[in-house]
Amino acid sequence: LRKDGFVVLPPEVNVGAGLVGEVAAEARDRMAVLLQAVEVAEIEGGAEARYLFAEICHRQSRRWDLKMEDTPAWLDLCSRAVQLAAPVIQEIQEVQEIQEIQEVQEI
């Protein structure tokens, strides 16, 4: 997390493949609904213009930001992710605070 900004969880961290699959299906369905709405609105500007909205935006090839609806599966997955990430983030913050104190002491 500290180096790359993301983490791949090992299998023993049981987030739940079924839950992840359910949220992935929800995301695919949400994307399809939003893209269909763009088609109906006849938005001009080519394929990239379809991803320039508050609900969905294109970051780079095959990468999008998508605003999810607050479904039970999505909220459960977010809660589990926060529980896993919070201690790691707290540790990073503590290390940064120690480094800042050491830098001030060196001055």
Side-chain angles (χ1 to χ4, degrees):
L1 181 62
R2 184 178 321 151
K3 180 181 167 217
D4 299 317
F6 66 91
V7 176
V8 176
L9 299 174
E12 62 270 11
V13 178
N14 189 13
V15 173
L19 177 62
V20 172
E22 184 178 347
V23 171
E26 289 177 357
R28 283 189 298 273
D29 292 347
R30 176 97 171 114
M31 181 95 140
V33 166
L34 292 172
L35 291 177
Q36 179 60 35
V38 170
E39 295 297 323
V40 168
E42 298 180 3
I43 303 297
E44 294 183 18
E48 297 300 315
R50 298 186 310 175
Y51 304 104
L52 299 175
F53 300 93
E55 296 86 358
I56 183 172
C57 67
H58 184 253
R59 297 175 101 199
Q60 61 189 35
S61 179
R62 300 185 50 80
R63 240 182 121 185
W64 301 273
D65 286 336
L66 175 67
K67 184 176 180 181
M68 293 291 290
E69 295 178 328
D70 289 337
T71 64
W74 173 245
L75 295 174
D76 187 16
L77 184 60
C78 288
S79 176
R80 292 181 191 206
V82 167
Q83 289 173 0
L84 291 167
V88 176
I89 293 169
Q90 183 176 357
E91 180 184 335
I92 291 169
Q93 290 172 335
E94 290 170 359
V95 168
Q96 289 174 338
E97 289 173 5
I98 291 169
Q99 290 172 342
E100 290 172 4
I101 290 170
Q102 289 173 341
E103 289 174 6
V104 169
Q105 290 175 346
E106 290 175 2
I107 295 177

